[in-house]
Amino acid sequence: MTLLDRFRAQARDTQSDPAARLAFVEALPLTERDAIAAAAREDTDPRIRKAAVSKLMDPAALAAIAREDQDDGVRAQAVEMLRDLALEAFEEVGEAESLQAIDAVPDQKSLVQIARSATRDDAALRALARLTDVHGLGAVARHAASEAARLRAFAMIGERQAGEEILAVALHSDFKDTALAALELLPGREALEQVIARGRNKSAVKRARAILRDRKSTRLNSSHVSESRMPSSA
């Protein structure tokens, strides 16, 4: 008789030895969803609840644990599982479970990670729609794998007129699309010079140089026109 069979032959809640209960939970296959969920919710030992949570594939149950469990480690494990489900890190997880997990994620940090890392546009945009932190929006605009999420995050920064985040996108974006879009919103010469000196994106640096050249040329032309219109002295 295997370890799992031996424990199945007895009621789990009659096992007084935490090590024995932990071994039981660790031996449970993922198909034993009810037993895993029961251990995650009801065991008195946080180590065992945490072990069960790490095998729990139910977004609703994980959300409840993330809100209500008394142990910090168990709550953190539940949030981590929600994030992994959202990113479809497990073969057992599909699009429906991913979107359910995104809706259940309780914190902004995890939503930023999902919006940055998700490769499917619908998942990235779903996480982005729940973001309220402007720095998080900037991180998505700079680094998101999804082009749709990058551009939407940058649009949200622009709507908020978040100057520091716009400059950060121009300086540090991994991608040409948002880096160039940010350049068009930079107000003055100083910001463009910062991009030229420290910009991470080569396309943005090149474009910043071109903008400064164009502005210089425009000023010179305007000056020449003004001088030509001045009346000559008699």
Side-chain angles (χ1 to χ4, degrees):
M1 180 180 290
T2 66
L3 175 66
L4 180 57
D5 291 335
R6 190 162 64 248
F7 274 92
R8 278 178 174 164
Q10 308 173 52
R12 178 181 56 80
D13 58 5
T14 64
Q15 295 294 327
S16 59
D17 181 5
R21 299 201 308 278
L22 181 60
F24 169 74
V25 168
E26 290 175 341
L28 281 172
L30 295 180
T31 53
E32 295 287 343
R33 295 189 174 190
D34 291 343
I36 292 169
R41 291 192 308 265
E42 300 167 9
D43 201 285
T44 57
D45 191 318
R47 296 173 304 162
I48 298 166
R49 297 200 303 278
K50 186 175 180 180
V53 165
S54 71
K55 305 176 83 169
L56 189 57
M57 300 290 175
D58 182 339
L62 287 167
I65 292 168
R67 291 192 308 267
E68 300 166 6
D69 197 278
Q70 296 180 351
D71 184 81
D72 291 344
V74 176
R75 292 196 304 274
Q77 182 67 43
V79 172
E80 184 176 332
M81 283 296 295
L82 283 170
R83 184 197 64 206
D84 289 346
L85 289 176
L87 293 172
E88 299 181 46
F90 308 103
E91 292 182 0
E92 299 82 359
V93 176
E95 182 177 353
E97 292 87 356
S98 168
L99 297 179
Q100 290 172 14
I102 292 169
D103 291 343
V105 167
D107 65 300
Q108 292 283 295
K109 180 179 178 181
S110 296
L111 288 170
V112 170
Q113 292 174 329
I114 295 165
R116 284 181 54 168
S117 302
T119 55
R120 284 194 297 102
D121 288 346
D122 58 346
L125 291 170
R126 186 91 157 227
L128 182 62
R130 296 189 56 215
L131 274 179
T132 57
D133 176 65
V134 69
H135 300 299
L137 292 172
V140 176
R142 292 191 296 273
H143 306 301
S146 162
E147 179 182 1
R150 290 196 304 273
L151 295 175
R152 178 57 188 143
F154 182 74
M156 294 168 75
I157 292 170
E159 290 166 2
R160 297 180 184 209
Q161 299 182 337
E164 290 185 5
E165 289 301 323
I166 292 170
L167 176 58
V169 172
L171 283 168
H172 304 301
S173 178
D174 291 333
F175 297 92
K176 177 180 176 179
D177 49 13
T178 47
L180 293 181
L183 281 179
E184 301 304 321
L185 297 183
L186 294 181
R189 180 185 182 89
E190 181 179 349
L192 290 169
E193 288 176 340
Q194 287 187 58
V195 175
I196 293 170
R198 301 190 288 115
R200 176 175 180 173
N201 190 283
K202 293 181 180 179
S203 295
V205 172
K206 182 178 179 180
R207 177 61 182 151
R209 290 194 179 109
I211 291 172
L212 284 183
R213 284 197 303 268
D214 291 345
R215 290 180 181 178
K216 182 178 180 180
S217 177
T218 299
R219 287 196 302 272
L220 289 174
N221 289 337
S222 298
S223 176
H224 291 157
V225 169
S226 297
E227 291 176 358
S228 67
R229 291 178 176 174
M230 293 177 63
S232 57
S233 58

